[in-house]
Structures are given as structure tokens and as C-alpha cells.
Amino acid sequence: MTRLLIVDDEALVRAGLKMILESDDALEVVAEAEDGADAAAMVTKHKPDVVLMDIRMPRLDGLAATREVQALPEPPKVVVLTTFDLDDYVFRALQAGASGFLLKDTPPRELVQAIKVVAAGDAMLSPAVTRRLIGHFAGDPRADRKRTAQERISRLTEREREVLVAVGRGLPNADIGRKLFMSEATVKAHVSRALVKLEATNRVQVAILAYEAGLLDD
């Protein structure tokens, strides 16, 4: 059973999300919060596996709340909820440690599947969404940004670099394994080592780094 916390200032949105998520027997909404200011305390009290975090809230926005949650011991995964009127808050929330983002108009079946995938620690962004996100926010053409990314990636082995590119294209571990002819367990090991070497906290940050380094251009 995956335990969920919903943080959103709109009661109707929280009710709709809860109804959709609990339609699956493997998901349980253990708590709700109407503002980011309450998120860390609710996480400490209810120990959710995944937090669905609205980005714009009146007292404490999703960015600051994500930072507070990620600073807790053994923090849960955080998924940012937004419209695709994306603003800088979303990218900054991902940099703060969120595992990804979902659009509020995501179809119910896809929403449930995405939560399951991120709870399992795998990639949750589809390739199309990954390209839109990093293209919109990480497309800084400055040479120094590209050079810095390339220097960080130079720490990787050739195999880790291949896995990095596949992660950057939004592929889950099983698909990476088939593409690179290795077991899923080996892929996970490469991803884990790459995260440590790159000082990244999640796969989205790795995807952004791959983009900035120019590895996803072709």
C-alpha cells in the first residue's frame, strides 16, 4: 500500500484527487493539507510515501514546502501539481528535490500510474513531458552553463553516460535495460552511481544536466 499526502489549497481539487487515487486498491490518501505551511508537520505525523504538492498556495508555496519536506529525515517523494502554464516555481521545485511534476488535467488512469511509478523510485516523466520541461526551463544557451554540465558528466564512465542519456530521454529502467542490453538491476546500479557522482537527488535533475550538456540534441 502506497501512502499519500495531498497538499492543495482548493478543497475541490483535494477531493477529486483523493477519489481518483483511492479508486486503486494499492493507494491510500492518509492525510490532506490546505497549505504548504502544514506539509512538513503532516509528513512527520502521517509518514506518507508520496506527497502531491500544489505549486501555488497562499501562505507557503510548493517550492518552499518541498524544501522543508526534503530536509526531513527519510523524506517522501514529492510530486509537484501544476497547470501547464508552467512558471519558474516548477523548475525550482524540481531542483529542490521534487521527483517530478504532474499536470492537474492528467487523465485519472495516467495519474494513478504515475504515482505508482514514482513511489517505486523509477522515472515518472514521459519522454514527451521531459522534453517539454527541460526544453522550457533548461534551454539556457550560455557556454559556461554547458561547460559546467559537461565537466560534471566527465566524472561518469562511458556506460554510466549511456544510461544518463537514456534517463534524459525519459526512459524508465526496464526500457533502458532493453535498449542497452543490460538487466534492470544493473541499470538501477548505474543510475545510483551517476546520482552520487553528479551530486543529483533525482532523475529529473539528471535529465536537465544531460540537456544542458548537449547530450540530447540528436
Side-chain angles (χ1 to χ4, degrees), residues 2-61:
T2 298
R3 297 165 57 84
L4 307 171
L5 166 65
I6 299 173
V7 185
D8 195 294
D9 62 325
E10 296 186 31
L12 188 60
V13 172
R14 296 198 306 272
L17 288 171
K18 181 175 181 179
M19 181 179 67
I20 291 169
L21 295 169
E22 291 193 336
S23 68
D24 191 290
D25 293 338
L27 304 179
E28 178 187 8
V29 176
V30 296
E32 300 175 28
E34 62 183 22
D35 194 88
D38 305 317
M42 297 292 271
V43 167
T44 300
K45 180 178 180 180
H46 296 282
K47 301 290 190 284
D49 302 301
V50 178
V51 178
L52 279 74
M53 184 80 73
D54 188 19
I55 199 68
R56 297 186 182 185
M57 291 176 283
R59 289 190 293 155
L60 192 70
D61 63 45

Side-chain angles (χ1 to χ4, degrees), residues 121-174:
D122 208 342
M124 69 146 294
L125 299 180
S126 70
V129 173
T130 299
R131 285 194 296 270
R132 287 180 72 184
L133 175 70
I134 62 182
H136 190 78
F137 289 111
D140 189 335
R142 291 179 303 173
D144 59 340
R145 191 180 185 98
K146 182 174 183 178
R147 184 168 55 251
T148 298
Q150 291 174 336
E151 288 173 354
R152 291 176 65 186
I153 288 173
S154 68
R155 307 169 188 171
L156 304 180
T157 66
E158 183 59 32
R159 204 57 165 160
E160 289 166 351
R161 182 186 173 101
E162 291 176 337
V163 171
L164 170 77
V165 171
V167 170
R169 299 193 187 284
L171 298 181
N173 289 341

